[in-house]
């Protein structure tokens, strides 16, 4: 019955949206009803669906969203340009998009150019229209012929320096024989050749100095490309330049002129002029590439600007260059105007969630940052986080779980390595980071757990897309105390749980590799991948085994240390378009204890659920395997962890209006134990032949408010497939009843958080 009411409501909403769309139009106005692409008089392109989608994305105008047009027509014209009526009509609603022949004609030219730029040199587009009930749909009738490819590339043959540079570096060219003709590749080649000239000392050369002849007369479906350099009337502009003097104003203000009361410092080829001391001279010298009398290289200037930006201590960075001739040599003097940013800031984060049983979780954190702590762009970070969970209406226990964590870290903008010097991409700042943190978890009626950790890590890039983080030293100590007597009885019955909660030292290191091809300020599909490998306990185990080879189990100051190997990987693909993004994530991990222990420490095990994982399940509620905690309601203790994790998520994000975005998502995954089982039914162990049958699935809707500098996210999710006590995994789609209060209390999980889940 409830499902029929939902269908009836949606049908009525759709009816009213459609019937009111044209009611306010004048006699000569027609509502634009969208565009279509049809291929005529020729075979469609090789990638028809992709090309058709790109053409429709470029076509203008864009039709109205029915709901926003309905709201606009529904609300009367407000008397003032403010208030709720104005907000509804012009922020939520949107005026009707009218058919305009001039806009459609310009759109046809844009679409034709797109096809030509992608190899269909003789493409033609005609326009047809379908008119009905004061609505006009535009049909773009596309005629394309052969897809042109590059047959021959002819380089300049003269003896000029630019011609020789072109021939000597042809292997790096963006133009290849038998390659599909694309105008974008010509643009990239212009940029490459101009950069090639500037990095060899020829200051001032740009993309307009390179041009191409395209000859299509010889072949039916291919063409020849002639690469040429444009001659300049002023031959002096092609002089070879060296670097001259370098002046730096590290405290420059855009509001004031240069202060006359300044100090001047000469340091290792730099002339530093300042009226207030902000930065050490060594920092500026390491950031500014190139020295006096070096051959001018445009790449070094771009690298310097990127490096200064990555330091995170400058609000504005401006470079002024001046040409100078001395003793027959040509020099480029550089003047850097650096405006300091605000070094100190405080950030607050807040997150809340709910689950069945009237449980409400909340977490708040504060983060203090000083980006220039000691004058050398050292980044000091202090953070404090407090979170807890309570059950509304529970008179006996107000707080079920309380988590308090604090941490401090310092990042130094260099690699403090004694002898090893890995290749570092010069556009980004390498960092050595020291951190110390402590996390206290109090589970009322069960136990308290403290996790103390200290690390040292090296963070650097080898190119724009690849990042390395090596942590040679990580030391942590897990301590469990204040164990409740009733919970102690549970520990006595479960060796797996009791062993994972034992006091333990963790001494080891890890390496993390990250790849991302996302381009800032470009809307295009991109890929992200990160993987981490961690080893712990091998060195202390080897030393202890040499000293006492006959001893069974080793420790440090009477406390055992853990020994394990842990690997994890996370891959994401974002199909990003102007109006929507399809985000996908696949992650997996495994931790294997060995040697000195049989169970991996609690802090190193995997868990699943929560606002950034399977959102239909609360944090640590699911798994391992088919296990369901029978005492969840009575004891409020479900903290299931495992040795293996597999997780998949896909999320369709789309624009709604103004700052608002919507999302539809599906999450799936689970955790498992490696060599142990849990519960009376001996569940939770991973098996290659069974793990696919033990995948939980959840879905939901999301509402986001994007303010550019941060995003607030509200997600509502519920399970589609979940483990049922003593029944294994069951699909629960046929039980969905959103209008039923009991179903919502037992299944609907809410998450309020900052930022995207992935």
């Amino acid at each position: 019955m409830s499902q029929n009411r939902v269908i009836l409501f949606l049908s009525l909403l759709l009816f009213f949206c459609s019937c009111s769309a044209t009611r306010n139009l004048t006699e000569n106005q027609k509502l634009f009803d969208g565009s279509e692409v049809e291929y005529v008089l020729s075979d469609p392109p090789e990638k028809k669906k992709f090309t058709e989608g790109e053409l429709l994305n470029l076509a203008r105008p864009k039709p109205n969203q029915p709901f926003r047009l309905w709201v606009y027509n529904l609300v009367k014209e407000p008397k003032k340009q403010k208030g709720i009526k104005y907000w509804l009509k012009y922020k939520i609603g949107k005026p009707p998009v009218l058919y305009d022949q001039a806009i459609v004609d310009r759109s046809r030219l844009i679409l034709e150019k797109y096809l030509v730029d992608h190899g269909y040199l003789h493409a033609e587009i005609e326009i047809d229209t379908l008119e009905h009930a004061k609505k006009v749909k535009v049909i773009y009738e596309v005629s394309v012929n052969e897809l042109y490819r590059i047959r021959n590339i002819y380089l300049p043959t003269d003896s000029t320096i630019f011609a020789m540079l072109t021939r000597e570096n042809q292997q790096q060219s963006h133009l290849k024989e038998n390659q599909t003709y694309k105008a974008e590749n010509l643009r990239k080649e212009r940029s490459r050749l101009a950069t090639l000239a500037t990095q060899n000392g020829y200051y001032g050369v740009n993309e307009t100095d390179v041009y191409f002849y395209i000859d299509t007369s010889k072949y039916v479906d291919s063409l020849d490309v002639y690469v040429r350099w444009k001659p300049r009337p002023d031959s002096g502009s092609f002089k070879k330049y060296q670097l001259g003097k370098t002046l730096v104003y590290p405290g420059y203000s855009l509001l004031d002129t240069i202060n006359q009361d300044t100090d001047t410092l000469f340091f290792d080829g730099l002339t530093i002029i300042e009226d207030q001391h902000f930065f050490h001279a060594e920092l500026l010298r390491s950031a500014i590439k190139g020295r006096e009398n070096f051959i001018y290289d445009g790449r070094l200037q771009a690298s310097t600007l990127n490096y200064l930006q990555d330091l995170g201590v400058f609000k504005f960075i401006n470079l002024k260059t001046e040409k100078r001739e001395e003793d027959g040599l040509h020099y480029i003097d550089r003047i850097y105007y650096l405006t300091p940013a605000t070094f100190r800031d405080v950030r607050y984060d807040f997150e809340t969630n709910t689950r069945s049983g009237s449980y409400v979780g909340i977490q708040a954190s504060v983060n203090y940052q000083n980006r220039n702590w000691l004058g050398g762009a050292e980044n000091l970070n202090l953070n404090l986080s407090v979170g807890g969970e309570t059950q509304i209406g529970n008179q006996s226990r107000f707080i079920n779980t309380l988590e308090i964590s604090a941490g401090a870290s310092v990042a130094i903008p260099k690699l403090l390595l004694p002898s090893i010097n890995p290749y570092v991409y010069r556009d980004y700042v390498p960092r050595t980071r020291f951190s110390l943190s402590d996390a206290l978890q109090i589970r009322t009626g069960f136990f308290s757990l403290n996790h103390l950790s200290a690390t040292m890590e090296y963070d650097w890039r080898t190119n724009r897309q690849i990042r390395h983080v090596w942590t040679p030293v990580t030391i942590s100590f897990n301590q469990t105390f204040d164990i409740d007597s009733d919970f102690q009885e549970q520990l006595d019955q479960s060796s797996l749980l009791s062993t994972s909660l034992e006091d333990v030292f963790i001494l080891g290191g890890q390496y993390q590799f990250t790849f991302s091809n996302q381009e800032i300020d470009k809307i295009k599909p991109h890929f992200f991948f990160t993987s981490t490998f961690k080893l712990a306990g091998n060195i202390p185990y080897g030393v202890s085994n040499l000293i006492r080879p006959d001893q069974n189990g080793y420790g440090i100051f009477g406390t055992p240390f853990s020994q394990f190997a842990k690997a994890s990987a996370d891959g994401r693909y974002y199909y990003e378009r102007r109006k929507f993004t399809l985000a996908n994530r696949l992650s997996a991990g495994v931790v294997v204890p060995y040697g000195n222990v049989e169970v991996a420490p609690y802090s190193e095990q995997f868990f699943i659920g929560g606002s950034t994982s399977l959102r239909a399940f609360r944090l640590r509620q699911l798994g391992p395997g088919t296990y369901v905690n029978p005492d969840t309601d009575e004891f409020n203790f479900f903290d299931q962890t495992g040795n293996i994790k597999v997780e998949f998520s896909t999320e369709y994000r789309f624009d709604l209006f103004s700052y608002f975005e919507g999302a539809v998502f599906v999450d799936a995954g689970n955790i498992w134990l490696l060599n142990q089982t849990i519960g009376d039914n001996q569940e939770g162990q991973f098996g290659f032949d069974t793990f696919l049958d033990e995948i939980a699935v959840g879905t939901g809707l999301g509402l986001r408010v994007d303010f550019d500098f941060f995003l607030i996210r509200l997600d509502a999710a519920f399970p589609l497939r979940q483990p049922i006590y003593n029944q294994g995994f069951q699909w629960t789609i046929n039980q969905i009843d959103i209008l039923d209060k009991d179903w919502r209390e037992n299944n609907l999980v809410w998450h309020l958080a900052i930022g995207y889940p992935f």
Side-chain angles (χ1 to χ4, degrees):
M1 183 65 181
S2 59
Q3 293 178 349
N4 293 334
R5 290 200 300 265
V6 172
I7 295 174
L8 177 61
F9 172 76
L10 294 176
S11 300
L12 290 174
L13 179 62
L14 180 62
F15 171 76
F16 284 116
C17 287
S18 60
C19 71
S20 64
T22 61
R23 68 180 184 182
N24 293 330
L25 299 183
T26 65
E27 182 179 354
N28 296 325
Q29 290 179 328
K30 297 179 178 64
L31 184 70
F32 179 70
D33 197 30
S35 305
E36 291 184 3
V37 172
E38 293 183 359
Y39 295 98
V40 297
L41 304 178
S42 63
D43 294 329
E46 296 177 0
K47 299 180 180 179
K48 175 182 176 181
K49 290 185 178 179
F50 178 77
T51 305
E52 182 176 337
E54 291 295 322
L55 293 176
L56 290 175
N57 188 51
L58 292 171
R60 295 294 184 273
K62 294 296 184 182
N64 282 105
Q65 297 176 3
F67 175 74
R68 299 189 68 181
L69 177 59
W70 176 69
V71 172
Y72 179 87
N73 288 329
L74 181 67
V75 180
K76 294 182 179 180
E77 186 67 30
K79 297 179 180 180
K80 299 180 180 180
Q81 293 186 353
K82 59 182 180 179
I84 186 64
K85 289 181 65 176
Y86 181 84
W87 183 79
L88 282 172
K89 189 173 185 68
Y90 291 101
K91 298 299 181 180
I92 304 298
K94 189 175 181 181
V97 177
L98 303 178
Y99 171 75
D100 188 323
Q101 184 64 45
I103 295 177
V104 173
D105 288 339
R106 288 196 297 270
S107 180
R108 180 187 66 82
L109 296 176
I110 292 173
L111 268 56
E112 278 189 351
K113 184 178 184 303
Y114 175 85
L115 291 171
V116 171
D117 288 347
H118 286 74
Y120 299 99
L121 300 188
H122 301 296
E124 294 182 355
I125 298 179
E126 298 293 335
I127 294 175
D128 193 10
T129 57
L130 296 177
E131 184 175 347
H132 175 71
K134 300 195 71 173
K135 296 182 180 180
V136 177
K137 181 182 291 291
V138 174
I139 311 297
Y140 292 97
E141 298 178 342
V142 180
S143 174
V144 294
N145 294 308
E146 291 79 7
L147 179 64
Y148 275 75
R149 299 181 181 276
I150 298 175
R151 175 164 295 196
N152 299 304
I153 301 173
Y154 295 98
L155 305 180
T157 58
D158 56 80
S159 59
T160 62
I161 183 64
F162 293 158
M164 289 188 292
L165 286 173
T166 303
R167 294 193 297 268
E168 292 170 359
N169 295 273
Q170 177 60 14
Q171 188 174 359
Q172 291 79 38
S173 175
H174 294 285
L175 303 178
K176 307 292 183 183
E177 293 182 355
N178 202 37
Q179 178 188 67
T180 299
Y181 169 82
K182 289 185 179 181
E184 175 66 12
N185 290 335
L186 299 184
R187 188 199 63 77
K188 291 180 179 179
E189 183 66 1
R190 286 192 187 95
S191 178
R192 185 188 73 87
L193 292 175
T195 301
L196 185 64
T198 58
Q199 74 187 47
N200 282 273
Y202 294 94
Y203 174 80
V205 176
N206 55 54
E207 296 180 13
T208 62
D209 292 309
V210 183
Y211 65 97
F212 304 95
Y213 284 129
I214 305 298
D215 186 0
T216 62
S217 62
K218 300 178 182 178
Y219 319 103
V220 175
D221 59 355
S222 56
L223 51 83
D224 294 335
V225 178
Y226 294 80
V227 183
R228 294 293 182 264
W229 284 89
K230 186 186 299 182
R232 287 191 175 184
D234 180 12
S235 59
S237 62
F238 287 136
K239 297 296 183 182
K240 194 168 188 175
Y241 286 86
Q242 300 177 16
L243 289 179
K245 300 176 182 179
T246 302
L247 281 70
V248 185
Y249 293 89
Y252 181 73
S253 173
L254 298 179
L255 301 178
D256 304 322
T257 58
I258 302 298
N259 193 337
Q260 299 299 321
D261 186 18
T262 59
D263 293 328
T264 301
L265 172 66
F266 299 94
F267 179 81
D268 198 11
L270 298 181
T271 301
I272 302 173
I273 304 170
E274 57 186 356
D275 56 0
Q276 185 177 356
H277 184 67
F278 290 106
F279 308 101
H280 298 321
E282 292 84 353
L283 174 69
L284 300 174
R285 179 67 276 179
S286 64
I288 297 175
K289 311 296 191 298
R291 296 176 179 270
E292 193 169 2
N293 297 322
F294 278 25
I295 297 297
Y296 172 81
D297 187 345
R299 294 177 304 175
L300 291 181
Q301 309 315 310
S303 176
T304 296
L305 296 177
N306 290 334
Y307 192 98
L308 289 169
Q309 187 69 38
D310 196 41
L311 282 172
V313 294
F314 298 110
K315 184 176 183 179
F316 300 110
I317 302 169
N318 293 295
L319 170 61
K320 180 181 178 181
T321 57
E322 296 179 351
K323 292 187 285 187
R324 173 171 57 88
E325 185 176 355
E326 183 178 326
D327 297 331
L329 298 177
H330 300 272
Y331 294 94
I332 294 292
D333 294 332
R334 303 176 296 173
I335 307 173
Y336 288 92
Y337 298 98
L338 309 177
T339 303
T342 301
F343 299 144
R344 302 172 185 86
D345 66 51
V346 179
R347 188 184 76 246
Y348 302 93
D349 291 328
F350 177 81
E351 180 177 330
T352 182
N353 59 69
T354 66
R355 65 179 175 92
S356 60
S358 300
Y359 289 101
V360 178
I362 187 172
Q363 181 173 350
S365 62
V366 58
N367 183 284
Y368 167 81
Q369 186 177 38
N370 188 331
R371 298 181 181 87
N372 191 41
W373 183 36
L374 301 175
E378 301 89 354
N379 193 319
L380 172 66
N381 194 294
L382 306 174
N383 62 80
L384 175 66
S385 175
V386 179
E389 184 188 64
T390 185
Q391 184 181 27
I392 299 175
N394 188 337
Q395 303 297 327
S396 62
R397 184 184 300 162
F398 176 66
I399 297 179
N400 300 299
T401 303
L402 178 64
E403 297 184 5
I404 304 173
S405 63
S409 66
V410 176
I412 301 171
K414 64 176 68 175
L415 297 182
L416 300 179
L417 289 168
S419 58
I420 305 174
N421 292 306
Y423 172 74
V424 176
Y425 188 49
R426 58 190 176 187
D427 283 24
Y428 292 91
V429 181
R431 290 180 170 87
T432 302
R433 187 175 292 105
F434 301 90
S435 61
L436 178 67
S437 65
D438 187 66
L440 174 64
Q441 184 181 100
I442 301 174
R443 293 190 173 271
T444 307
F446 299 97
F447 63 89
S448 296
L449 175 67
N450 192 74
H451 177 74
L452 180 65
S453 177
T455 63
M456 181 184 72
E457 66 181 28
Y458 300 105
D459 186 345
W460 76 97
R461 290 179 178 268
T462 50
N463 58 43
R464 293 181 183 275
Q465 299 179 336
I466 295 177
R467 178 185 179 188
H468 307 267
V469 180
W470 175 41
T471 308
V473 178
T474 174
I475 303 173
S476 60
F477 176 60
N478 293 347
Q479 182 183 23
T480 306
F481 56 96
D482 290 342
I483 301 177
D484 184 81
S485 57
D486 292 335
F487 183 63
Q488 183 63 55
E489 295 180 3
Q490 297 184 43
L491 294 180
D492 295 338
Q493 298 173 7
S494 173
S495 60
L496 173 65
L497 184 59
S498 62
T499 305
S500 66
L501 290 176
E502 286 181 345
D503 295 353
V504 66
F505 275 104
I506 303 174
L507 295 88
Q510 73 176 33
Y511 167 75
Q512 183 182 57
F513 171 87
T514 302
F515 170 86
S516 175
N517 62 356
Q518 182 179 10
E519 298 183 38
I520 304 299
D521 297 328
K522 286 191 177 181
I523 300 176
K524 59 185 297 187
H526 58 275
F527 180 73
F528 171 88
F529 174 79
T530 184
S531 62
T532 303
F533 182 70
K534 183 175 185 178
L535 285 174
N538 291 331
I539 294 178
Y541 183 84
V543 173
S544 300
N545 193 46
L546 286 175
I547 298 174
R548 297 186 297 273
D550 298 330
Q551 183 172 329
N552 183 19
Y554 303 105
I556 300 175
F557 304 118
T559 301
F561 57 84
S562 187
Q563 191 174 7
F564 62 87
K566 182 179 182 181
S568 61
D570 185 339
R572 307 174 188 180
Y573 177 73
Y574 300 87
Y575 184 75
E576 191 172 2
R577 287 324 218 205
R578 193 170 300 276
K579 293 294 184 180
F580 71 90
T581 298
L582 182 62
N584 305 277
R585 174 180 62 180
L586 176 63
S587 61
V590 59
V591 55
V592 182
Y594 60 92
N596 203 49
V597 295
E598 295 182 357
V599 178
Y602 177 82
S603 60
E604 298 296 335
Q605 296 178 26
F606 296 104
F607 54 86
I608 205 164
S611 64
T612 60
S613 180
L614 267 71
R615 283 160 281 185
F617 301 88
R618 187 180 171 271
L619 186 66
R620 297 186 178 96
Q621 177 187 358
L622 181 65
T626 59
Y627 175 72
V628 177
N629 192 333
D631 300 324
T632 296
D633 294 332
E634 180 180 353
F635 293 103
N636 182 36
F637 179 78
F638 49 85
D639 206 13
Q640 291 109 278
T641 59
N643 300 96
I644 299 174
K645 181 181 81 167
V646 175
E647 185 177 347
F648 170 77
S649 296
T650 184
E651 181 171 278
Y652 179 74
R653 303 166 183 167
F654 51 92
D655 295 340
L656 290 175
F657 48 85
S658 186
Y659 299 104
F660 291 87
E661 300 176 2
V664 181
F665 55 85
V666 176
D667 305 319
N670 205 344
I671 54 173
W672 294 268
L673 299 171
L674 193 61
N675 297 313
Q676 299 90 11
T677 58
I678 187 173
D680 297 335
N681 297 328
Q682 304 297 303
E683 300 164 302
Q685 187 170 4
F686 179 83
F688 284 102
D689 56 340
T690 60
F691 83 96
L692 289 177
D693 296 326
E694 299 174 354
I695 296 291
V697 182
T699 188
L701 301 174
L703 178 66
R704 289 85 192 271
V705 186
D706 188 356
F707 297 104
D708 290 334
F709 52 94
F710 78 98
L711 179 139
I712 300 176
R713 170 169 57 95
L714 177 64
D715 289 336
F718 55 89
L720 297 177
R721 190 171 190 266
Q722 60 181 320
I724 307 299
Y725 185 62
N726 283 336
Q727 298 181 40
F729 271 83
Q730 302 287 331
W731 287 99
T732 57
I733 299 176
N734 59 346
Q735 302 176 17
I736 296 175
D737 192 350
I738 297 177
L739 299 181
D740 182 74
K741 181 180 178 181
D742 292 336
W743 182 91
R744 293 197 304 271
E745 289 183 351
N746 294 323
N747 293 273
L748 203 57
V749 181
W750 293 88
H751 301 282
L752 178 64
I754 303 294
Y756 288 113
F758 59 91

